[in-house]
Amino acid sequence: MSSFEGRLAMRQRRRALILQPIKWILLLGVVGSGSVYGLSAAGFIEWNSEHKLESLMFWKDTDHASTKGTALAAGEGKESTKQSVKPASTAMTIALASPTAVLASTPTSTPAVSTSPDKTSTSGMQVISQAQSIVAVNANEKVWLEHAGLIKIEPGKLFSYQAWLTEVSKGKVPEKKADELSHVASLLYEAALRAGMQVGERYPHQDNPDYAAAGFDVNFQSDLRDLTFYNSIDVAITVGVIYNGETPVVTFNGKPEADWKGPKITVSKEVFAPESIALTDFTLAGQGDKRSEGQSGLLVKVFADRKNDGKNELIYKDYYAPHPTVIAKAPTAEELKSP
C-alpha cells in the first residue's frame, strides 16, 4: 500500500469516529421526540408551546427563567390549547355531617319524637327521672297523658311540644284545653329538667297555676309559646305515665351507663305578702264597703347540682308579682257634700 492510500484510509477512520456519536445523538433525538409526542397524546404529560429551547438555557438568563417558572407555578402562564386526557371519575356520594343552627322554637325537620309504641326490647330500662302532679286529672287530660306516654326522644334530638301536638292531632284527640295542655307540658318539663336535659324554650304564667309545682310551671300556647328541650344525655328516652290514685306521674326511662347520675334539682321559694289599698268608691254610696282579697307574690329559684358534688348552680328564677288587697269604701256624708 502506498503512502497516499494509507493517509486516505486514516482520514476515513477519523471521519467515522467523529460521525458515529453524531448519528447516535440524532437517533436519540428522534426516539425521544416520538416518546414525548406519544406521552403527550396519551395525556400523561402536557407540552407548553412557550417552553422553547431558550427557556431551558438557564445560563443565558437566570432571572428570566426563575420568574417564568414562578409565573407558571402560579398559573399565570397561558394554558395549553390541547386538553389533557383525564381518567374518568367514579360516581361517589359523600354524606357530610354539617352543624345546623336550629332555633329553640323551631323543631328540626327530622322527627325527634316517636309517637308509636317502641317494639324493641325494653329490658334494662330504668327510671331516669320523674315528675308527679300535685293535682288529680280528669278523663280528658288522661287521654292527653296516654298520648304523651308514647313519646320517644332520641339522643341528640330537640323535642318540641308544639311539633308533638301537631303530630298527634292528625289522629283522634280530645278537646284542646289550654290548662290541660299546659299541665301536661309542665310535667314533661320537670321530668326533662330532672333528667339533665337542656331546656330551650319555656314560658311561665303570670300567676303560678294551682296545677303546677313551683319552678316547673309551663304556659303553653299553641302556635305562640312552645316548650322545647334537647336530649343531651346520649340515651334514648321513652316517656311513661303511671298513676297514684288519680294523680299522674310522668317518668323518663332509658338505659344509661352504669355510672350515670342525673343532676339534683332543688327549689327555693320566697313569699311576698300582698299590700292593702283603700279606695273611695262613690258608686257604693249607701251600700257599705267591699273588699277584694289580694294574692301573695312568689319568687322561685331553681338550682341544679349537676355533678352531685354539693355545688348548686342557679339555673333560673320565676317571679310572680303579688296582687294587692283592695278595700273599696263607700263615701262618707262629708265626702258626698264636697264638690
Side-chain angles (χ1 to χ4, degrees), residues 34-145:
S35 300
V36 171
Y37 179 80
L39 292 173
S40 176
F44 291 101
I45 64 172
E46 287 190 30
W47 178 256
N48 194 318
S49 58
E50 292 190 4
H51 288 185
K52 300 178 182 179
L53 183 61
E54 289 79 3
S55 65
L56 301 178
M57 297 180 181
F58 59 89
W59 59 87
K60 287 190 174 182
D61 190 354
T62 306
D63 294 337
H64 173 74
S66 175
T67 306
K68 186 67 176 180
T70 304
L72 289 173
E76 295 178 4
K78 295 181 181 179
E79 295 183 358
S80 173
T81 57
K82 179 180 177 60
Q83 295 183 353
S84 61
V85 180
K86 298 181 180 179
S89 59
T90 304
M92 181 180 298
T93 303
I94 303 176
L96 297 177
S98 58
T100 304
V102 180
L103 293 178
S105 59
T106 305
T108 55
S109 57
T110 303
V113 179
S114 170
T115 55
S116 59
D118 185 10
K119 296 181 180 180
T120 59
S121 173
T122 57
S123 60
M125 283 282 188
Q126 69 180 65
V127 176
I128 291 179
S129 65
Q130 65 180 28
Q132 181 169 350
S133 174
I134 58 176
V135 296
V137 294
N138 56 31
N140 195 61
E141 196 168 349
K142 284 183 179 180
V143 178
W144 284 116
L145 287 166

Side-chain angles (χ1 to χ4, degrees), residues 234-249:
D234 297 328
V235 176
I237 296 297
T238 300
V239 178
V241 180
I242 57 178
Y243 284 86
N244 182 9
E246 294 297 317
T247 304
V249 180

Side-chain angles (χ1 to χ4, degrees), residues 184-332:
V184 175
S186 298
L187 294 173
L188 290 171
Y189 168 66
E190 181 180 356
L193 200 65
R194 294 189 182 278
M197 294 188 179
Q198 296 179 9
V199 178
E201 188 175 357
R202 172 253 178 180
Y203 302 92
H205 287 85
Q206 184 176 357
D207 298 318
N208 193 37
D210 295 335
Y211 57 75
F216 308 108
D217 163 34
V218 173
N219 180 13
F220 172 76
Q221 297 180 20
S222 185
D223 297 321
L224 293 176
R225 293 185 171 185
D226 198 5
L227 166 69
T228 61
F229 48 82
Y230 175 73
N231 184 359
S232 55
I233 59 177
D234 297 328
V235 176
I237 296 297
T238 300
V239 178
V241 180
I242 57 178
Y243 284 86
N244 182 9
E246 294 297 317
T247 304
V249 180
V250 172
T251 62
F252 275 23
N253 312 287
K255 299 179 182 179
E257 298 292 335
D259 58 347
W260 182 87
K261 291 183 180 180
K264 293 181 180 179
I265 304 296
T266 54
V267 179
S268 69
K269 295 181 288 185
E270 183 179 357
V271 179
F272 299 90
E275 297 180 350
S276 295
I277 300 177
L279 301 173
T280 300
D281 187 352
F282 284 83
T283 64
L284 296 177
Q287 299 182 29
D289 299 342
K290 288 188 177 181
R291 182 184 180 93
S292 175
E293 294 297 334
Q295 180 178 315
S296 297
L298 188 64
L299 175 61
V300 183
K301 296 180 181 179
V302 180
F303 301 87
D305 179 3
R306 302 184 188 277
K307 297 181 179 180
N308 290 267
D309 56 2
K311 297 180 180 179
N312 285 324
E313 174 189 353
L314 177 65
I315 52 179
Y316 64 90
K317 296 185 288 185
D318 291 338
Y319 177 69
Y320 305 97
H323 296 272
T325 298
V326 179
I327 304 173
K329 295 183 176 182
T332 62

